[in-house]
Amino acid sequence: MKTLIIENIDLKKIGELMTVSRLFCDTPDIIALGDGEIPGSFGRAWQSAATVSANLVVPITQLIQQEGYEVILMSVSTLGTGLAGPLSAALSAPVITEVTAIHPDMVVDRPVYGGKAIIKYKIESTPSLLTIRRKYFEPEALAGTTPSVPLETGDEKVTLVSEKIEQTEGIPLEDAAVIVSGGRGMGDPENFALLQEMADLLNGAVGASRGAVDEGWASPTRQIGQTGKIVAPDVYFAVGISGASQHLAGIANSKCVVGINKDEEANIFNRARFGIVSDYKKIVPLLTQAIREDR
Amino acid sequence: MARIPYWNISYGVIIDLLAIPVFLIFVYGLYLQWQLIKKGQLRVIPSITKVFQGIGTFRPGAFFMRGILNPKIYRKPASGVAHGCVFWGMALLFVGTNLVILNILFGLPVFTGAFNRWFMSFTLDLAGLLVLGGIVFFLLRRQFMPDRLKIPEARTGFVLVSSLLGVLIITGFVIEGARLCANTPEAGAFVGNFLAASVISQTSALQIHTMTWWVHGLLALFFVAYIPFSPLVHIILAPVNSGFADPSPGVKMGVMDFSAFDDEDAEELPALGADKLADFTRKRFLDFASCLWCGRCQEACPAHNTQKPLSPKGVIVTLAQKLAAGEMEDSVMETLSMEAIFNCTTCAACMEVCPVSINQPKTIMRFRQNLVMEQGQMPELMGKAITSLEQRSHPFFGTGSGAAEWRKDLEVPKFEAGKTEYLLWIGCSITYEQRAWTIGRAMVNILKSAHVSFGILEDSRCTGDPAKQMGNEFLFAEIAQQNIDDFSALGIQKIITMCPHCYNSFTRHYPKMGGQYEVIPHASFIRTLVDDKKLQLDRNAQTITYHDPCYLGRRNGVYDDPRNVIASVGNLVEMPRNKNESFCCGGGGGNYWAEETGTRINQARAGEALGTDADAIAVACPFCLLMLTDGVKKYTEEIKAFDIAEIVEKCLPDMAEG
Amino acid sequence: MHIAVLAKVVPDYEVPSMDFELSNGRAHERFSRMMGLYDENAIETGIQLKDKTGSSLTLISYGLDSDVQFLRKGVAMGADKLVLVKGTSDDAAVIAQNIKQAVEHLGDVDLILAGQQSADMDRGVVPGILAQMLGAAFVPQVGYIESAADQWKVSQMTATGRRELEFNGLGVLSITSIPENVPRIPAVRAIFGAKKKPVVKLDGIDQGKMALAEISVEIPKIESVCEFIDAEDPNEAVKTLLSRLTEERYI
């Protein structure tokens, strides 16, 4: 099937979508957004520096119609979410967001009810639009680059005045092998420093639950969960996180979850591989110390 | 020789005549107090007709027992005895003085024989000494004030009245001494005789007598006139306030009628709760005016004891100051913080110890009602609990338990109209908190073992009590009305509760909304089963201490039933603070859903319980169980806290079989 | 100015996984119904904007008659009226079509806010479809909104930071949760007041479905057995944890 990837220039995201595209075709085409060379080998490639989805709907719609794409792949991101709905309406195309699995015959899975259930759809027409949930498909290693032609974007509907990139020091959450995450049970923003110290020693990153972000203790860019970042580390330390299903949805692909919570009934223990029922203030500093001694 | 009235005094009748204007000033002073109290809202209760001047029902028995005899004052032995000495000493002296007047007016023979010797001389001398002793204690204590008097502020004016009274007593003795010095010693008048013999010189006795007599008489008149304008007015206000106090134990918040809000034609809608002095009733004004700022309430308060911003004394003092200054319309919340208002666990320990029958929790709850219902303001966790209660009919947001999980693999009969006798009311905590599941399971097994006809409701329910405790009377009324309607449909008449909060709601609030039931707390029900030999229990040597839940103990007077049950399975040991002096677990007043500052109340109470070295800590409330289970963790990993039903279940002989 | 906020009544999104149950491929009807999580954030954002700009605010929902009782909370929070389009479709295109009808019914809407995603289907796609149908700009994941001289200035909370965007004319914004838009708890007076505010009910249309066939809905089996590490001696506990993590080659 004729497949188009729409993605910002980002090795991991394009890599994941490349993996997905192999289920539909040999070589996909791409609309790559942002500056830089397009990694990987594509049939055809278009590129634009514009990244605001609202300004891309018209040109992308035209391109899809002209070229007759049958499957359009995006990832669940500001760009993908911004494009999925409008493109679906403009193309009268079925759209499925947050896809977590793809089966033969255009059957796809996506979670509903905060991940408490999985719904299976069969797509019955082309073109169709899919946004792929991060971390559910191993990113393909992209070799080489593909030269592109510019994508004409025309008038701007929405103006990008400025963009501030949060300086997340160290490793991005999505790429971290170890994540130390804090929730509302932290009780205090100051104590996130404890998590940072531990994460630094493990070459990991610090995450947060929606509760902690809503409290203003952690930046929204640190939020992990269904509506935050989807992560898949080797070890995920959930500190003072009760484990609402929406949070668990974001860590579903973590290999090992360690729950540290003083409430033994906390739902996180239903997902955790290891659990310590105790006040994190007792455990985390000792754990940090033990890791330091271990190295 | 019998005493002669006005001996050695010319124109003594002047004092008697001056007593008339003094009496008028005294009455005028009280009238001013009434003018102040009258500014409060009228208490409008259609069903109660005996509402005296819009304050409430006056109960002479309480006036006398709680107000005059006042056993509570003696809980602090030193200041209690000092109060007793001064009050009862002055009462005797007052009687003596009146007898003298009767002697003058009608020649009542009080100055002769044994009566003169034992009453007019000995008893009144003794009374004078007791008063003087009490005064000395009070004056010393004002010099070296304990924290409860100082924090946050001490009431002034006591030193002046105490000193005045002291001078009165001393001058009284001097008069007596001088009189006896000039005449002959009198049998029984041991103080007067002593002064006559050793202090006053014979030569100046007559002169001293005359001078002191006038000083004493005029001072006494001034003293009486000054009473209503000094803190001493509490000798009137305190018994009156006790006479108007609600006779039932604990805080009775009543139920609110919201029908006016639905009424299209209603003009001005009443303010919900209070945010300024003017919003309070006359009874509360009387509370504020009666308060001596003695701080016994704050000494008993679990919040104040654990370094939280709330002091019940502070709340009342703030309002008393506003009342004295006539600041009716100023917002009080600027002085009191929202945090303090929500610190109250509604445990009623403050009102339990208050010697002048002030209802501090009711005042605090009025503020809370206003914050929640008028302003939508409350601490975040309580807001979440309220929202959850509204959305899912239970306050346990984020619970990991499904509605029927507590009774998984346990056969529990459903209540069937016309067939089942007792409704076993489960409530929210037992359903949604895993640690509390076993209370429900244990009780089911106990009832089965005793072959009681009982059943539960199909769905999980809440009485609405958490909303009420957090000040949301509206949500409470909605939930309660729904329950009452459903109970009527099912023909429910008898209810067994495992949660004292549910019990309190059913017995105190539901009847006012049309829900009349026979409600039995599970501890009492188990006791009856044991007494009636329907339940055979294996007694063992375990020692068990019992934590009185505030809503079962102080609020409803159930102290003995749980203790009897415990005694039937093990050995009861008491904590230092028990029964009506029990210390809250910290979970009341919606504070189960609170981020505590300072020491955690449940840890303080758990420490006290563990201090008894008992094998187990028994409670009769799921919230207490949850709080203490958590509190115990500070000291030991062992599970120590159990509900009384769990303890009894373990002693059922047939439990071994399964 | 007229702000519309979309809200959807959904089954309790906090039902614990262990207790979750389906009937006919949807959450069991025994679960309580309530407004979605992000919907309340959107309403709160809308009310703050309404108060700042002196606008009027209308709540729009697509659902059942019986949803009105739950939507009243949104009115009590500060909306002026409620428009309910009646229907039962789960199809994003159909829902958008119906909401478009409500927006057109109102006629003068200047800005449309919606929760980032509904708390049942978790799709987040309806606002985007609606925007396209209305010819409006769609900006997802918005945290802050300001109105300045014929322009909307909005902050988009992206995965990497924050973007400041500007646009003219009608926009559809999907709202994310931020510390400033924690939903307020309505006062009792407002709850009663909400009962008197107008409710407009429109009959929905059930056409324009997407070409998708729903094959099945299933509850995934979570198989994780938690190994609890005794925390009596915290020193011992962390050592045990580290050695277990190393043994199983996670670290």
Side-chain angles (χ1 to χ4, degrees), chain B residues 466-603:
Chain B
K468 196 176 182 87
Q469 289 189 65
M470 289 184 244
N472 196 333
E473 293 283 339
F474 172 67
L475 186 55
F476 171 80
E478 275 197 329
I479 296 171
Q481 199 57 59
Q482 183 65 49
N483 284 333
I484 290 169
D485 293 349
D486 294 348
F487 285 9
S488 301
L490 275 170
I492 288 166
Q493 287 167 340
K494 298 178 181 178
I495 305 174
I496 302 168
T497 58
M498 289 172 280
C499 173
H501 295 270
C502 299
Y503 175 74
N504 192 67
S505 280
F506 284 141
T507 54
R508 290 279 174 91
H509 311 309
Y510 278 43
K512 289 187 185 144
M513 302 175 71
Q516 296 275 358
Y517 318 102
E518 183 190 330
V519 191
I520 312 123
H522 74 321
S524 304
F525 197 83
I526 295 173
R527 183 197 176 168
T528 314
L529 293 178
V530 173
D531 286 355
D532 295 351
K533 308 258 184 298
K534 285 185 183 149
L535 213 53
Q536 300 296 322
L537 298 176
D538 294 335
R539 199 172 185 285
N540 59 39
Q542 63 180 332
T543 53
I544 304 169
T545 189
Y546 175 67
H547 164 81
D548 286 274
C550 307
Y551 275 64
L552 201 56
R554 263 194 297 274
R555 279 180 174 248
N556 286 290
V558 180
Y559 298 115
D560 296 337
D561 290 346
R563 286 182 166 76
N564 272 295
V565 172
I566 288 167
S568 65
V569 295
N571 298 314
L572 176 72
V573 285
E574 291 287 3
M575 280 186 251
R577 292 177 283 190
N578 61 62
K579 297 192 176 168
N580 61 344
E581 288 173 10
S582 172
F583 190 70
C584 182
C585 70
N591 277 283
Y592 181 78
W593 294 276
E595 303 269 11
E596 274 191 73
T597 58
T599 309
R600 296 182 51 148
I601 298 173
N602 59 341
Q603 292 177 347

Side-chain angles (χ1 to χ4, degrees), chain A residues 1-6 14 17-31 38-46 67-73 140-147:
Chain A
M1 296 176 89
K2 210 170 169 194
T3 303
L4 175 71
I5 290 172
I6 307 172
I14 294 178
L17 295 179
M18 189 68 117
T19 305
V20 176
S21 73
R22 304 291 185 199
L23 300 166
F24 302 105
C25 67
D26 289 337
T27 311
D29 294 347
I30 189 169
I31 296 176
I38 302 172
S41 172
F42 295 92
R44 298 175 69 187
W46 288 268
E67 303 292 330
Y69 287 109
E70 291 163 298
V71 178
I72 295 100
L73 300 176
E140 190 177 305
L142 301 172
T145 55
T146 307

Side-chain angles (χ1 to χ4, degrees), chain A residues 76 96-103 108-121 131-134 136-137 225-227 230 245-246 248-253, chain C residues 20 22 25-26 117-124 216-220:
Chain A
V76 178
I96 302 181
T97 56
E98 311 250 0
V99 171
T100 54
I102 295 169
H103 308 284
V108 301
D109 285 359
R110 70 178 306 276
V112 285
Y113 300 113
K116 290 192 278 270
I118 303 288
I119 193 161
K120 253 186 185 43
Y121 287 109
T131 68
I132 309 294
R133 188 174 272 199
R134 299 287 321 273
Y136 276 77
F137 297 88
Q226 175 175 275
T227 50
I230 309 285
S245 66
Q246 288 80 358
L248 298 187
I251 59 169
N253 291 331
Chain C
F20 189 72
L22 294 165
R26 291 293 177 267
Q117 60 189 52
S118 66
D120 52 354
M121 302 311 282
D122 298 336
R123 266 183 310 229
S216 67
V217 185
E218 272 163 17
I219 297 174

Side-chain angles (χ1 to χ4, degrees), chain B residues 156-467:
Chain B
T156 54
F158 287 105
V159 174
L160 178 60
V161 280
S162 299
S163 308
L164 256 180
L165 193 55
V167 172
L168 270 182
I169 298 297
I170 292 167
T171 51
F173 277 134
V174 171
I175 295 165
E176 186 184 42
R179 176 170 57 82
L180 297 181
C181 186
N183 296 293
T184 51
E186 196 163 323
F190 63 98
V191 179
N193 289 343
F194 168 77
L195 291 177
S198 346
V199 181
I200 299 163
S201 76
Q202 196 99 41
T203 46
S204 53
L206 285 176
Q207 205 183 347
I208 289 174
H209 178 265
T210 319
M211 267 175 56
T212 320
W213 192 93
W214 283 104
V215 170
H216 179 82
L218 291 169
L219 262 185
L221 290 173
F222 175 76
F223 176 75
V224 171
Y226 182 56
I227 286 174
F229 304 94
S230 77
L232 211 56
V233 72
H234 77 271
I235 59 172
I236 309 288
L237 293 182
V240 168
N241 199 36
S242 299
F244 283 114
D246 197 312
S248 47
V251 204
K252 210 163 68 184
M253 289 309 295
V255 291
M256 279 191 186
D257 180 12
F258 291 91
S259 55
F261 286 86
D262 251 342
D263 187 353
E264 294 283 339
D265 307 322
E267 283 175 9
E268 204 179 327
L269 297 169
L272 299 170
D275 79 333
K276 53 187 189 294
L277 184 61
D279 293 332
F280 286 98
T281 60
R282 288 180 177 179
K283 174 60 178 72
R284 296 284 84 74
F285 275 46
L286 192 53
D287 275 358
F288 308 150
S290 305
C291 181
L292 279 301
W293 310 13
C294 76
R296 293 185 188 210
C297 53
Q298 89 181 12
E299 248 183 5
C301 175
H304 185 78
N305 265 289
T306 52
Q307 308 91 43
K308 296 180 182 46
L310 173 69
S311 151
K313 171 185 168 183
V315 173
I316 302 295
V317 164
T318 303
L319 291 161
Q321 287 170 327
K322 298 256 177 224
L323 181 63
E327 292 167 4
M328 299 289 290
E329 300 294 332
D330 298 9
S331 173
V332 189
M333 284 315 290
E334 284 164 21
T335 324
L336 308 169
S337 70
M338 178 173 107
E339 192 187 349
I341 292 303
F342 282 96
N343 281 154
C344 177
T345 67
T346 68
C347 76
C350 49
M351 60 185 298
E352 184 70 26
V353 295
C354 182
V356 298
S357 306
I358 293 171
N359 193 334
Q360 299 89 339
K362 201 158 183 169
T363 295
I364 296 169
M365 286 303 289
R366 288 275 179 252
F367 284 120
R368 200 180 278 193
Q369 288 169 354
N370 189 273
L371 286 168
V372 171
M373 291 193 286
E374 291 284 5
Q375 306 175 43
Q377 276 187 33
M378 67 202 85
E380 197 188 340
L381 288 185
M382 288 195 196
K384 289 181 137 227
I386 292 250
T387 304
S388 179
L389 187 53
E390 191 188 315
Q391 290 177 327
R392 355 188 130 80
S393 313
H394 72 74
F396 290 88
F397 59 91
T399 176
S401 308
E405 260 181 291
W406 73 271
R407 55 184 157 92
K408 203 171 159 190
D409 304 326
L410 180 74
E411 200 177 303
V412 187
K414 298 278 154 55
F415 188 94
E416 290 178 74
K419 283 188 193 162
T420 314
E421 185 178 2
Y422 291 98
L423 169 71
L424 178 63
W425 172 265
I426 305 303
C428 59
S429 50
I430 291 177
T431 310
Y432 294 104
E433 274 291 336
Q434 200 174 351
R435 173 64 192 93
W437 287 355
T438 40
I439 305 175
R441 298 178 73 92
M443 196 61 199
V444 166
N445 285 330
I446 290 167
L447 295 176
K448 279 183 177 171
S449 169
H451 305 290
V452 175
S453 161
F454 76 101
I456 61 167
L457 294 176
E458 284 286 344
D459 53 351
S460 65
R461 295 278 182 113
C462 173
T463 49
D465 169 84

Side-chain angles (χ1 to χ4, degrees), chain A residues 24-99:
Chain A
F24 302 105
C25 67
D26 289 337
T27 311
D29 294 347
I30 189 169
I31 296 176
L33 304 163
D35 301 320
E37 287 204 284
I38 302 172
S41 172
F42 295 92
R44 298 175 69 187
W46 288 268
Q47 189 168 8
S48 164
T51 53
V52 176
S53 54
N55 302 329
L56 293 163
V57 176
V58 174
I60 294 178
T61 305
Q62 283 168 0
L63 189 77
I64 292 169
Q65 283 168 337
Q66 275 166 24
E67 303 292 330
Y69 287 109
E70 291 163 298
V71 178
I72 295 100
L73 300 176
M74 295 161 280
S75 53
V76 178
S77 61
T78 309
L79 176 75
T81 306
L83 286 173
L87 288 179
S88 162
L91 296 160
S92 297
V95 56
I96 302 181
T97 56
E98 311 250 0
V99 171

